[in-house]
Amino acid sequence: MVEPLSRIRSPRVLRPHLDCLYRTVNLLGGLGWHVVWLFTICFTGSLALYGLGKGELGFLDAAYLSITAATGAGLGNVALSEVPKASQVVVALLIVGGGQVAIAAGAVNMQRLRAGWELEAMRRVANTTSSAVSEEDTESDATPSENTDNVPKLSEKASFEIFSNTPQSSITRGPYGPEDAYNSLFRRHEALGVLCWLLPAYILAFQLLGTLGLGLYMQYSGGDILVADAHGLNPWWWAGFNTLSSFANSGMSLLDANMTPFATRGMLVVLLQCALILAGNAAFPLLLRLLLQALKPASLPGLAALTAPDAATIFPYLVAHRERRWLAAMLVVFNTLDWTTYVLAAPSTPSLRPLSTSARLLTGFFQALSIRSGGFGIVSIRELHTSVLLLYVAMMYMTAFPLTTPPKSHPEGRSALAWTKTQFHGLMRAGDLRYLATAVWAVATIEGTRLGEVLATVFEVASAYGCVGVSFGDTRDGRLAVVGGWKGGSKAILAAVMLGGRLREVRRGLLMGWGQADDAEQEEL
């Protein structure tokens, strides 16, 4: 029996407005509502940063800083250590609001709310129809002379047809056996209910553990690093900000030196941030699946749907077994390739020669994760070997979730070999390369870039598109990215590249079509 869900009823006053909002979201599609959300927080953040800057930060720079924080690109045009504390808080909120896991948590709550409304509407239709049939039965009893054989009865089958508004021939077989639209939607609502508390708990757990670990280290062992900084940062504020930035893969830091002070010390700090970088992006689908498997013995309502093979239809990050293996393999292969190339090139890199073997291994591992998505710099990127830099450009161009198509669109019964070939072809696909080449040419024209600085421009554009945040650094102010010394037109171009890169998963990647109702559901709405 399906339990009544009275607790999810929404106020009648707000219901029409929320329905209108949901219809608008469906009209925009998955890409549209991502664009609206990013535009909203970026514009709001721009106004806040411009107002808090007290005339020291122009609106263009404020808008750029908002975009680079919200998209997770993290290519700084100003030194965060010099902006007011209130502005630092705004940047931290933008990092959180633009984080992939945080956006996913918000979207899941909206979807669950709408599923509850639809269930309530179905029950209301069924109750109305049942009342009408009961009245007809009463009238028939009152007039026994009439033929009662033709009085319609609300059978169980008819009840299901009323609930689903679809003929019985359209009932499909799901992972739990024959299902109608009502039961399927009820199970979906239960599954979304699990994610509604699990995703915030996932985020909060990593934030607390990261802040606690980094804060304790800086409080008792790394105080001299903060004292050496000209602005005398509070260790706990630095720890909280770095935790947010690592989890959202932003790469922004309140320390002017970013992570370079930890190249020869602070292994705990480096390893903690490695864990945060993986948990907030590339390894999120894998860790979420492990977490759901660990909760399986609890027999929570809705948990079975989230561990089913087709769970990606509910939440796109819950990819199927084959896709999980592919993501895990790519995570290991790409990072191992970056790490190995870095370590092999270290002896011929003047800036890395003074480092011990253990320090080279540690910094190489951290930089490999940062290049894929983290965005932090633990060594001087400009001074790395050319082979390492060229490899880094290619790695930043590739998405953190290198799946050619969403898992739910893969045809059933497709051979593993054919599927793997498709994935490899997808890795080699040019995609937006022509737009990035145009962006590099436009920036080079505006800035009058010399031949020796072309690689720095290419690296900056690739980092912006990948929403990574690693940069050669401005030659005049090493605290800033290369973009910090560019003109307004070049900053605007790079901001557009960041937005395009941030939305590529929605345009043709793992999140394509997410948040948009299918055709049947839109007809219902």
Side-chain angles (χ1 to χ4, degrees):
M1 292 294 293
V2 175
E3 297 288 337
L5 300 176
S6 58
R7 64 182 181 276
I8 51 89
R9 292 179 180 175
S10 56
R12 295 182 180 273
V13 178
L14 295 178
R15 176 69 178 274
H17 302 287
L18 294 174
D19 279 343
C20 180
L21 175 62
Y22 190 80
R23 290 174 183 272
T24 304
V25 168
N26 280 316
L27 181 64
L28 293 173
L31 176 62
W33 70 260
H34 273 85
V35 171
V36 170
W37 172 250
L38 286 175
F39 174 81
T40 301
I41 63 175
C42 288
F43 183 72
T44 305
S46 301
L47 295 177
L49 291 173
Y50 179 69
L52 295 170
K54 300 176 181 179
E56 297 181 2
L57 190 66
F59 184 76
L60 179 60
D61 282 320
Y64 174 87
L65 182 57
S66 296
I67 293 173
T68 196
T71 58
L75 292 169
N77 60 328
V78 296
L80 291 181
S81 58
E82 292 186 349
V83 302
K85 180 64 70 66
S87 297
Q88 294 176 1
V89 172
V90 171
V91 172
L93 293 175
L94 287 168
I95 291 174
V96 173
Q100 295 198 38
V101 183
I103 289 180
V108 162
N109 275 274
M110 282 194 62
Q111 290 176 340
R112 181 178 182 269
L113 186 63
R114 182 61 194 185
W117 296 342
E118 292 173 5
L119 288 172
E120 184 184 355
M122 289 179 179
R123 286 195 304 272
R124 190 182 302 114
V125 170
N127 292 336
T128 303
T129 307
S130 300
S131 300
V133 172
S134 298
E135 290 177 2
E136 292 179 6
D137 290 342
T138 303
E139 293 176 0
S140 299
D141 292 340
T143 56
S145 59
E146 296 182 7
N147 184 7
T148 60
D149 293 337
N150 296 325
V151 176
K153 302 293 183 180
L154 188 63
S155 64
E156 183 178 357
K157 179 178 178 180
S159 173
F160 281 134
E161 289 180 356
I162 293 170
F163 275 124
S164 61
N165 286 327
T166 58
Q168 288 293 302
S169 60
S170 67
I171 293 178
T172 59
R173 176 174 292 274
Y176 314 97
E179 296 179 6
D180 64 351
Y182 180 76
N183 286 339
S184 177
L185 183 60
F186 178 76
R187 291 186 176 94
R188 177 182 176 85
H189 182 268
E190 283 189 327
L192 291 172
V194 174
L195 292 174
C196 281
W197 65 262
L198 185 60
L199 292 180
Y202 179 90
I203 297 172
L204 186 60
F206 277 102
Q207 300 303 318
L208 291 177
L209 291 175
T211 302
L212 186 63
L214 296 180
L216 287 175
Y217 177 85
M218 296 302 286
Q219 181 75 34
Y220 296 104
S221 301
D224 57 313
I225 296 176
L226 299 180
V227 171
D229 187 86
H231 305 278
L233 291 171
N234 180 283
W236 292 101
W237 173 230
W238 174 86
F241 190 96
N242 251 43
T243 299
L244 291 173
S245 185
S246 299
F247 189 80
N249 284 209
S250 170
M252 305 183 82
S253 178
L254 299 178
L255 268 180
D256 291 338
N258 204 281
M259 288 292 291
T260 53
F262 304 100
T264 55
R265 55 179 293 188
M267 181 182 295
L268 174 64
V269 173
V270 176
L271 294 179
L272 267 176
Q273 292 202 198
C274 286
L276 290 167
I277 289 169
L278 289 172
N281 196 354
F284 172 60
L286 308 177
L287 294 177
L288 182 60
R289 176 67 70 165
L290 289 176
L291 184 57
L292 290 171
Q293 292 293 339
L295 292 173
K296 212 168 184 180
S299 300
L300 297 173
L303 194 59
L306 296 177
T307 54
D310 62 346
T313 59
I314 298 174
F315 190 58
Y317 290 101
L318 293 174
V319 293
H321 181 62
R322 181 166 58 181
E323 283 76 20
R324 288 200 307 275
R325 287 187 300 174
W326 174 263
L327 287 178
M330 293 299 99
L331 183 64
V332 172
V333 169
F334 288 154
N335 286 294
T336 301
L337 180 59
D338 289 341
W339 189 12
T340 304
T341 305
Y342 175 97
V343 172
L344 292 178
S348 58
T349 306
S351 61
L352 300 181
R353 285 174 190 164
L355 298 179
S356 63
T357 302
S358 60
R360 292 177 186 177
L361 291 173
L362 185 63
T363 57
F365 180 67
F366 180 82
Q367 203 60 67
L369 293 180
S370 292
I371 281 295
R372 288 292 296 138
S373 53
F376 292 93
I378 198 170
V379 293
S380 176
I381 301 298
R382 185 182 289 271
E383 297 176 4
L384 293 179
H385 196 276
T386 305
S387 62
V388 177
L389 295 175
L390 292 176
L391 178 62
Y392 281 179
V393 169
M395 290 298 171
M396 289 189 296
Y397 176 74
M398 285 186 286
T399 174
F401 306 109
L403 282 172
T404 300
T405 54
K408 60 185 178 182
S409 67
H410 293 156
E412 295 294 333
R414 192 173 188 180
S415 69
L417 179 60
W419 185 86
T420 305
K421 286 182 178 179
T422 301
Q423 298 305 314
F424 276 114
H425 289 159
L427 290 177
M428 306 303 292
R429 185 176 54 194
D432 295 332
L433 197 58
R434 57 189 180 276
Y435 301 118
L436 301 185
T438 303
V440 170
W441 171 81
V443 170
T445 302
I446 294 173
E447 301 299 323
T449 305
R450 297 183 179 181
L451 184 61
E453 287 295 314
V454 170
L455 181 57
T457 303
V458 172
F459 199 94
E460 196 83 352
V461 171
S463 182
Y465 179 75
C467 294
V468 176
V470 179
S471 175
F472 275 32
D474 187 21
T475 54
R476 291 164 291 185
D477 188 348
R479 301 173 301 173
L480 312 181
V482 173
V483 67
W486 285 356
K487 299 174 183 177
S490 300
K491 292 177 181 176
I493 292 173
L494 201 66
V497 171
M498 292 175 188
L499 291 170
R502 180 64 179 82
L503 295 169
R504 62 175 165 172
E505 289 295 343
V506 189
R507 290 185 287 128
R508 61 167 183 269
L510 189 68
L511 306 181
M512 187 169 62
W514 183 39
Q516 183 177 14
D518 55 23
D519 295 338
E521 190 177 350
Q522 288 210 37
E523 288 178 6
E524 237 179 76
L525 297 174

